[in-house]
Amino acid sequence: MSDSTPSRTRGARRGPASRSSWIWPVLVVVVTAVYTAIPYLVTGWFYQRGDTAAQFAPTWWHFGELIRSGQWPIWLDPQSWAGGNYVAEALFGTYNPLNVLVWLVVSLGPDLAVTTYLVKASVMVLLALGTYLLAREYDAVPAAAAAVAVALPFSGFTLFWDAGSWPSGLMSFAYAPWVWVTFRRALRGAGSPFWAFLAGLLAVLNGNPYGTLAVIVVGAAMLVEGAVQRAWGGVLRIVLVGVGVAAFLPLVYLPLLESSDLAVRSTGALFENSGKLRPTAGDLLAASSPLHTPPIRAITGPMMVPATFLAWFVLPLLPWLRYDVLRRRSRELVGLGFVTVVYLALTLGPSKLWLFRWPLRVIEYFYLGVMVVFAVLLSQGLARSTMRPRLAATGIVLVALGWLTWSQDPQALRRAAIGTAVVAALTVVALAAHLVLRRTALVALVAMGGVGAVLALQVGVFGENASSRLWHVPSNVSALQASFSDLDGRVMQFADLKPLQNKGQTRKLEQQWEGAFLPGSMYHPAGVEAVNNYTGMGFVPFTRNFCMEYDGLTQPCGYRNLWKVGGAGQPPLADLMKLDTIVVQPEIAEGVTPGAGWVEDYEDSRVVRLRHEGEQPWAGSELSWASDGVEVASAETRGELHQAVEVSAAEEGGRLVFSMLAWPGWSADLDGTALDVSRSDIGLLTVTLPPGASGTVDLTYRPPGLATGLAGAGVGALVGLGLALMGWRSRRRRRAEVEREDVPETALEPRDDVTSVSDDAPAKP
């Protein structure tokens, strides 16, 4: 073809809209929503594992509070220290408007476990609906599209890891089918390219690099598909969409790149293979075995959940599919094949590829492509010829699934037998629906029902994801705030609770949260201003000095270093940081003498609490120390990201130290003259004053690269508006063409020609 619209199959053309056309997508939404409740009701903690409990739930709550106080965009929270550079970490999607809704919902809810479950359930429903629409875009019949759509959110990695622990990854994956379907519709000219721009933009603004990668891979696939079909008009539209979306990348990722030298992940090689969360091709052979645990190294040890599971019906039904449709539609399925193959390669790639580590994270994108292909094949109906060989092949598949499951864990013979028996029984029912009743829709309904049965089986056997971090932190916000209401001012915690986690001592761990310690960013919903916060990027000088882990927990060396002098003429670090309260495990505090001005306020078998006596210097500001010869008349905090210091004299110059981390983006000036901003050995922000300095020092923060990012966003917005105009004009043109086609012939032909009949007119059927 040479026109601007790629071809599409006529074998499964959609009919006009009707009530029945809404049955299947509504079923997808309802069934998926119901199924998400199974893990929550069975375990209670299923969706509160790993980073969700320690990072996302409390930070979402904190963001909602900040939004309601009038702060947006949320760039940096200096009071959250190493975990407060949200714009640089990018993970929370600072500029994504849908994320703002999430933060508000979580902050308004009384229970973090309930609100985070509702958020994740909503995202999983959107993932299922997007998958349904994507399969329909490739002309899968509604029943087949619904079957794969319901199954995908409950595939192994998506359920146990993304939904259980990593909601940012879940959100990014949920955008993928929407990006794909809108991009392909833009390629075909079937919808306004503005929707493709919007879907791609939201995926990028979500901040997770895997979402951005999906936009790139899908965009490249559509370009390849358009080129193969010579649909140059569609190719141009995809290029314009890509340009518009890419223009926002500096806004999202420049702060990360500018701060990367301080991040923990800046260490190590760009490409390496540690084997962590890296599947092999053999692990994919058991993709329909619900109780198979692949031999993959996970976060806390060996993989303990079916992370490579896809859907119970995919492999057993392979012998019954009609594969000739792939040959007939090869040109229009090029993009689908491109995405699937690229993600298969990445799934089997090394453990780290630049920003992308742990390739198990992309297996769900590969599975998205596989499921759309499966829906296309299932839409042709299952085969009925040569039944004996097909039945034998299905039997071999079931035996192989059982063997792979058992051989991975020979001690779990009963588990392998149960899992295989469930899949075999469901397969028999599906084949009976095909061979006896001969209805593809019934096969799809069996597939969907089986998803729920298998899900219940998996949750009953595995429960929470034991391969991810155990927390079981309190979720009731009011009770949490009451438990820690006696912690005053700025608090720093020194506790090492990893041994309890690693040994799975759940009850002892839960006892630590009862008014003693909290992990990650949980002090936010507790209403406590704490130095300890979860951080995915870290601030290397600071976290190394305090022997602090990414989750805010510390080793004993951190508490010892707290009492070291910050520098020549400076007080101990505890005073430079303007701490008011310190909580520490007794075994860590043993043998360490606190600095002057600190008294023991409370002690029991779990915790020692220290309190700072007297007022902090320059109360109401973050200024904590001025060098000799610098006279400070006043200092105040004028905003979350603005400190003002009135210097009355500094004849020989000097330095000002602030109780904040010196993230890139801070700048200072003295009555309009720029000053040098640096950091101390542990990362505290330091401003250097020139000799004879006098006047107001203004210290402000703006994300690095903000001007470039805003300029790019402006260009992207203009491109988006142009795409919207393009879609509007195209829609008007199509409407005019339809109106012309609907004009009766009598309005177009002379009166005396009304009764004439052309000799070439075809006979009516």
Side-chain angles (χ1 to χ4, degrees):
M1 292 183 66
S2 59
D3 63 22
S4 62
T5 304
S7 64
R8 65 182 300 164
T9 181
R10 306 299 180 191
R13 178 185 288 276
R14 305 173 198 175
S18 64
R19 290 183 180 180
S20 61
S21 66
W22 291 99
I23 292 177
W24 289 101
V26 169
L27 195 62
V28 167
V29 170
V30 173
V31 172
T32 303
V34 171
Y35 284 175
T36 63
I38 293 175
Y40 178 76
L41 295 176
V42 171
T43 71
W45 295 99
F46 188 92
Y47 295 104
Q48 289 291 109
R49 201 76 185 193
D51 292 359
T52 294
Q55 182 186 28
F56 285 96
T59 305
W60 285 347
W61 186 93
H62 180 50
F63 282 3
E65 293 287 295
L66 294 178
I67 291 291
R68 289 195 288 159
S69 68
Q71 297 183 47
W72 191 85
I74 301 171
W75 291 330
L76 177 72
D77 179 12
Q79 281 70 47
S80 294
W81 295 77
N85 197 345
Y86 303 117
V87 70
E89 191 159 357
L91 191 64
F92 292 97
T94 298
Y95 301 104
N96 189 311
L98 298 184
N99 289 355
V100 174
L101 295 177
V102 170
W103 307 336
L104 290 173
V105 167
V106 173
S107 70
L108 291 170
D111 191 285
L112 294 178
V114 173
T115 51
T116 52
Y117 158 65
L118 293 176
V119 168
K120 291 182 179 183
S122 300
V123 175
M124 294 171 78
V125 168
L126 290 174
L127 168 62
L129 184 59
T131 303
Y132 173 85
L133 295 176
L134 178 60
R136 293 287 287 134
E137 169 62 24
Y138 281 97
D139 282 319
V141 299
V148 300
V150 169
L152 188 63
F154 304 100
S155 58
F157 180 82
T158 303
L159 175 66
F160 283 96
W161 285 97
D162 270 359
S165 299
W166 296 331
S168 177
L170 179 66
M171 291 176 173
S172 294
F173 183 44
Y175 279 116
W178 294 91
V179 169
W180 196 342
V181 71
T182 54
F183 272 44
R184 192 166 191 267
R185 285 177 61 81
L187 176 68
R188 294 194 296 108
S192 172
F194 173 76
W195 301 118
F197 165 78
L198 182 61
L201 177 60
L202 289 173
V204 167
L205 293 182
N206 195 52
N208 189 301
Y210 291 91
T212 301
L213 179 64
V215 174
I216 295 171
V217 173
V218 169
M222 295 302 98
L223 291 177
V224 171
E225 183 175 321
V228 167
Q229 300 193 43
R230 298 185 180 181
W232 305 120
V235 168
L236 176 60
R237 287 190 291 272
I238 295 299
V239 168
L240 291 175
V241 168
V243 169
V245 172
F248 283 83
L249 290 175
L251 181 67
V252 177
Y253 291 109
L254 270 183
L256 169 62
L257 297 177
E258 293 291 332
S259 305
S260 60
D261 61 329
L262 294 169
V264 175
R265 295 179 186 176
S266 64
T267 59
L270 288 177
F271 311 107
E272 61 183 11
N273 188 17
S274 65
K276 193 170 186 178
L277 288 177
R278 180 181 181 269
T280 63
D283 297 327
L284 307 181
L285 297 178
S288 288
S289 178
L291 302 184
H292 173 76
T293 54
I296 298 174
R297 180 178 156 215
I299 300 296
T300 60
M303 184 65 68
M304 305 289 286
V305 293
T308 55
F309 175 73
L310 173 55
W312 71 266
F313 54 82
V314 172
L315 296 183
L317 294 185
L318 288 184
W320 300 85
L321 300 177
R322 304 173 188 267
Y323 295 96
D324 58 322
V325 66
L326 300 181
R327 175 184 54 79
R328 296 196 311 269
R329 297 180 56 190
S330 59
R331 285 166 57 86
E332 60 186 288
L333 298 178
V334 166
L336 174 57
F338 182 94
V339 174
T340 307
V341 170
V342 167
Y343 273 113
L344 173 61
L346 293 175
T347 299
L348 303 178
S351 298
K352 181 180 178 182
L353 285 171
W354 188 43
L355 290 174
F356 307 98
R357 60 174 186 164
W358 304 345
L360 187 62
R361 283 175 159 171
V362 299
I363 193 173
E364 54 194 355
Y365 295 87
F366 165 60
Y367 280 168
L368 173 61
V370 170
M371 290 301 247
V372 174
V373 172
F374 187 88
V376 170
L377 292 169
L378 184 61
S379 298
Q380 308 304 305
L382 299 181
R384 294 188 179 89
S385 61
T386 58
M387 288 180 51
R388 287 186 179 180
R390 297 181 194 277
L391 286 170
T394 295
I396 292 172
V397 168
L398 294 172
V399 170
L401 291 176
W403 174 262
L404 290 173
T405 304
W406 173 78
S407 61
Q408 174 56 29
D409 188 0
Q411 305 304 316
L413 174 61
R414 183 170 177 269
R415 187 179 75 187
I418 291 175
T420 305
V422 169
V423 174
L426 291 171
T427 302
V428 169
V429 175
L431 291 179
H434 161 57
L435 296 174
V436 178
L437 301 176
R438 299 192 175 190
R439 296 291 299 272
T440 299
L442 292 179
V443 176
L445 288 174
V446 172
M448 295 167 65
V451 169
V454 166
L455 172 63
L457 173 66
Q458 290 177 319
V459 175
V461 171
F462 297 106
E464 303 171 49
N465 181 4
S467 307
S468 184
R469 293 286 181 198
L470 167 70
W471 293 112
H472 283 203
V473 290
S475 61
N476 185 286
V477 176
S478 297
L480 182 63
Q481 293 177 352
S483 296
F484 290 89
S485 60
D486 53 350
L487 294 183
D488 298 323
R490 179 169 294 166
V491 177
M492 192 168 187
Q493 166 185 292
F494 292 89
D496 179 17
L497 303 175
K498 283 292 192 297
L500 297 180
Q501 277 189 317
N502 296 336
K503 294 178 182 178
Q505 297 180 346
T506 306
R507 180 55 192 148
K508 289 185 177 180
L509 195 63
E510 291 174 346
Q511 290 174 347
Q512 297 298 320
W513 316 142
E514 297 172 0
F517 306 104
L518 286 174
S521 299
M522 278 300 297
Y523 277 113
H524 282 311
V528 176
E529 181 193 331
V531 172
N532 307 71
N533 279 276
Y534 191 108
T535 173
M537 63 182 302
F539 192 101
V540 172
F542 182 81
T543 54
R544 284 184 177 174
N545 178 80
F546 290 112
C547 308
M548 187 178 290
E549 303 285 345
Y550 64 91
D551 52 18
L553 301 179
T554 58
Q555 299 295 320
C557 52
Y559 183 66
R560 293 194 298 268
N561 290 342
L562 179 67
W563 304 110
K564 290 182 178 180
V565 174
Q570 296 180 5
L573 295 178
D575 297 325
L576 275 181
M577 296 171 62
K578 302 183 79 167
L579 299 179
D580 298 296
T581 304
I582 297 170
V583 290
V584 55
Q585 286 179 311
E587 55 269 32
I588 291 179
E590 187 176 352
V592 180
T593 303
W598 287 88
V599 297
E600 185 176 301
D601 185 54
Y602 176 83
E603 181 179 4
D604 63 18
S605 60
R606 293 180 303 162
V607 62
V608 174
R609 187 180 303 148
L610 303 178
R611 177 173 49 82
H612 180 268
E613 288 188 318
E615 289 189 5
Q616 296 285 2
W618 300 291
S621 83
E622 296 301 332
L623 179 65
S624 61
W625 182 81
S627 57
D628 292 341
V630 177
E631 297 181 10
V632 176
S634 64
E636 62 176 326
T637 298
R638 293 185 176 176
E640 288 296 323
L641 303 176
H642 183 191
Q643 296 288 318
V645 179
E646 188 70 30
V647 177
S648 56
E651 294 183 3
E652 298 181 1
R655 289 184 301 153
L656 303 174
V657 176
F658 294 82
S659 55
M660 303 185 298
L661 293 182
W663 290 106
W666 283 105
S667 62
D669 66 76
L670 177 65
D671 293 335
T673 302
L675 300 176
D676 180 59
V677 176
S678 59
R679 60 176 180 265
S680 68
D681 291 342
I682 72 160
L684 296 183
L685 193 150
T686 302
V687 175
T688 302
L689 300 174
S694 176
T696 302
V697 175
D698 284 298
L699 181 65
T700 56
Y701 175 86
R702 289 293 181 272
L706 180 62
T708 302
L710 291 176
V715 171
L718 290 176
V719 174
L721 290 174
L723 292 169
L725 178 61
M726 181 187 299
W728 176 73
R729 293 184 61 184
S730 176
R731 189 165 56 251
R732 284 194 61 189
R733 184 170 60 252
R734 287 197 298 269
R735 187 181 299 117
E737 292 174 353
V738 170
E739 290 175 352
R740 284 197 300 270
E741 291 175 358
D742 290 342
V743 173
E745 187 178 351
T746 54
L748 300 176
E749 301 292 341
R751 182 66 183 173
D752 56 1
D753 287 344
V754 171
T755 58
S756 64
V757 178
S758 170
D759 293 337
D760 297 329
K764 293 183 179 181

